[in-house]
Amino acid sequence: MTRRDHLALLASAAALCAGPRPAAAEAVRWSAGTDRPTFTVPPDATDCHHHVYDARFPPAPAATLRPPDAGADDYRQLQRRLGLTRNVVVQPSTYGTDNRLLVETVKGFGSGARGVAMLDASVAPAELRRLHEAGIRGVRFGTRLPGGAPMDDLEPVARKVAELGWHIQLVSDGETIVALRDALERLPVPVVFDHMGHVPEPAGPDHPSFRVIAGLIERRGAWVKLTGAYLLSKSGPPRYADRGRLARAYVGLAPERLVWGSDWPHPTAPADGKPDDAVLLDLLAEWAPDPELRARILVANPARLYGF
């Protein structure tokens, strides 16, 4: 071996130890940018919050959020770009309690996917068993947009899904979470808070809703999704520094109760104002700099919550 060959071999070994370098990727519909994340994403990393939309399925009569199609094939491109392999499809308010598209999509993704449905109190045990076999693991309720089940059905549905080991996923304003505290304390299943609980800025972790969520984590085993940094940020892109302060407060409080999600295709953002999903994933490296902790949020925690 010549000296040049020897140096080339050492350089190759160093590159392998350093991990793959971020490289440009193809553009993805409803996502800005083309770069990959700047850190090495661990195997089995999970996007715990995204949606699908398909005009083949009619919107719920009361739904006001009616974005254009964003399908499974589009999302697979995003998975490849971000280096993710597992995903959780969340029923949007657009389709209300009609979960046909959700079930079709989760089945199409296969064993690496789970789903969160919308259901009302009329749901029968046989339907719950069918949904469980299809990969559904939670029920979403919300107060921010019309189209889902009424909040009066929250407790009856929670009692019905408790024996399946499901959870309730809540999308609600921080102020409303404070008002719902007693009802949430009574639920026989864990609560998963969408989008960092929609805790408002600039108060962030100083807002009363953060204390309510923290109490539910400590006493009732609640979870928080580190998603939607762009939704309530007042400091704006690309770092969303105010939401970073909130995210770091959650990481400091209970990293074992956190998961991450993209919120693709970002249905409430305008078509020309979609965030860069690689940047959103990179924010997790700022909020949780320790690679082992980051892997816990991306891999181990989702495996516990969704049964991967």
Side-chain angles (χ1 to χ4, degrees), residues 39-40 42 45 223 226 247-260 284-302 304:
F39 69 91
T40 301
W223 296 76
L226 298 178
R248 283 189 290 271
Y250 282 124
V251 171
L253 175 70
E256 74 281 3
R257 312 303 292 185
L258 305 177
V259 294
W260 178 89
L284 181 61
E286 295 184 8
W287 304 338
D290 178 15
E292 290 187 6
L293 180 56
R294 202 157 58 238
R296 186 176 193 175
I297 294 170
L298 288 171
V299 183
N301 291 352
R304 287 177 54 208

Side-chain angles (χ1 to χ4, degrees), residues 3-297:
R3 183 174 181 274
R4 178 177 295 177
D5 292 336
H6 184 68
L7 291 174
L9 182 60
L10 289 175
S12 297
L16 287 173
C17 292
R21 290 175 59 84
E26 60 185 333
V28 177
R29 294 180 73 207
W30 316 126
S31 179
T34 58
D35 288 342
R36 299 185 189 277
T38 59
F39 69 91
T40 301
V41 177
D44 295 328
T46 311
D47 180 349
C48 292
H49 192 105
H50 77 91
H51 310 286
V52 291
Y53 297 92
D54 192 322
R56 292 179 299 137
F57 296 85
T64 57
L65 183 63
R66 303 185 179 192
D69 284 5
D73 288 341
D74 296 317
Y75 181 75
R76 286 188 182 95
Q77 287 184 308
L78 184 71
Q79 278 188 307
R80 290 193 295 269
R81 178 185 165 199
L82 300 183
L84 306 172
T85 52
R86 292 173 173 171
N87 59 303
V88 179
V89 190
V90 176
Q91 176 79 340
S93 63
T94 304
Y95 303 110
T97 57
D98 179 357
N99 296 287
R100 291 177 297 162
L101 174 59
L102 173 71
V103 169
E104 176 185 290
T105 304
V106 173
K107 286 183 175 180
F109 278 123
S111 61
R114 297 289 186 267
V116 177
M118 281 188 169
L119 300 168
D120 60 30
S122 69
V123 64
E127 174 65 2
L128 290 176
R129 288 193 295 271
R130 184 186 75 87
L131 291 172
H132 189 82
E133 291 172 0
I136 307 307
R137 294 296 183 267
V139 183
R140 191 186 198 203
F141 279 84
T143 63
R144 288 178 58 83
L145 292 168
M151 289 299 293
D152 288 345
D153 287 5
L154 176 66
E155 293 187 62
V157 168
R159 289 194 292 270
K160 288 189 174 187
V161 305
E163 65 181 45
L164 294 170
W166 290 13
H167 60 266
I168 292 294
Q169 181 171 317
L170 182 65
V171 51
S172 191
D173 292 317
E175 291 85 353
T176 306
I177 288 172
V178 175
L180 290 172
R181 177 181 58 188
D182 292 343
L184 298 176
E185 291 272 9
R186 290 193 299 267
L187 295 183
V189 298
V191 180
V192 179
F193 291 95
D194 267 5
H195 306 320
M196 295 188 268
H198 282 279
V199 175
E201 297 295 346
D206 299 323
H207 192 271
S209 58
F210 180 84
R211 293 192 290 275
V212 170
I213 294 169
L216 288 164
I217 290 172
E218 294 166 359
R219 293 188 299 274
R220 306 293 299 167
W223 296 76
V224 174
K225 290 189 174 185
L226 298 178
T227 56
Y230 61 95
L231 292 173
L232 294 181
S233 175
K234 296 186 181 300
S235 57
R239 304 264 61 92
Y240 307 103
D242 46 2
R243 304 310 275 171
R245 174 173 171 256
L246 175 62
R248 283 189 290 271
Y250 282 124
V251 171
L253 175 70
E256 74 281 3
R257 312 303 292 185
L258 305 177
V259 294
W260 178 89
S262 66
D263 195 32
W264 183 91
H266 316 289
T268 59
D272 61 351
K274 302 292 184 182
D276 185 328
D277 288 283
V279 170
L280 296 180
L281 184 50
D282 278 341
L283 291 178
L284 181 61
E286 295 184 8
W287 304 338
D290 178 15
E292 290 187 6
L293 180 56
R294 202 157 58 238
R296 186 176 193 175
I297 294 170

